[in-house]
Every structure is written in structure tokens, then in C-alpha cells.
Amino acid sequence: MEFAVYILKSLSSDRHYVGLTQNSISRFQSHNELGKKGFTTRYRPCFVIWVEFYTTKAEAMSREKFLKSGKGREWMQNHIDDY
């Protein structure tokens, strides 16, 4: 099973969200339509600007943690055009 680390961008507020999932389609739908509480419900609609795939959960969790750090935000500014 693959694990996806993703970055969403809010159309309404220009904010970003970093997450991890095994089921990208249902997770993105949850962020934009189904979720009733949480960070992304306040900033809908969101669209995907980056996805990376990993074979182990540990690798994906490590990358997610990095992207949520100061160095990770700096990396995103330098490597993702829509950031």
C-alpha cells in the first residue's frame, strides 16, 4: 500500500495544509465536502498543489513532519510554484 504526502492550497485564504493519506481521492473529498470540523473546513475550497508517494508509513510521516517545520516551509517556497 502506498502512502501519499500532499499539500493543499486554500482558494479563499491563500493558506496551505500538509497531510498524509492512503486514500487520496476520499481524503481530498473529505477536505472539500465531507468534513465537519478541522483546519481545512474553515478554508474551503482547497486544491492539491503537490503530492509525493512513499512505500512505508514511516517515510511518509517523516516527510510530512519535515514539510510542517520551518525548513519544510522554506523548501516549499523554493520548490513549488503555487506556494
Side-chain angles (χ1 to χ4, degrees):
M1 176 102 3
E2 281 189 327
F3 297 87
V5 175
Y6 59 92
I7 302 169
L8 303 179
K9 183 174 184 177
S10 167
L11 292 175
S12 63
S13 70
D14 204 36
R15 295 185 64 122
H16 296 85
Y17 177 84
V18 176
L20 179 145
T21 187
Q22 283 185 288
N23 187 336
S24 302
I25 302 301
S26 67
R27 188 66 181 131
F28 299 151
Q29 184 181 21
S30 175
H31 282 304
N32 277 314
E33 299 169 13
L34 302 176
K36 302 287 187 234
K37 61 181 181 176
F39 180 86
T40 57
T41 59
R42 290 175 280 175
Y43 301 108
R44 288 177 178 159
C46 296
F47 64 98
V48 180
I49 62 171
W50 191 264
V51 179
E52 299 173 349
F53 294 97
Y54 296 90
T55 55
T56 69
K57 188 174 183 179
E59 290 174 313
M61 289 175 68
S62 177
R63 181 62 169 171
E64 179 191 28
K65 184 176 180 179
F66 168 76
L67 290 173
K68 289 180 175 182
S69 72
K71 290 282 186 190
R73 287 190 299 276
E74 184 179 314
W75 181 90
M76 288 188 284
Q77 289 174 342
N78 293 327
H79 291 90
I80 301 174
D81 289 339
D82 283 334
Y83 194 82

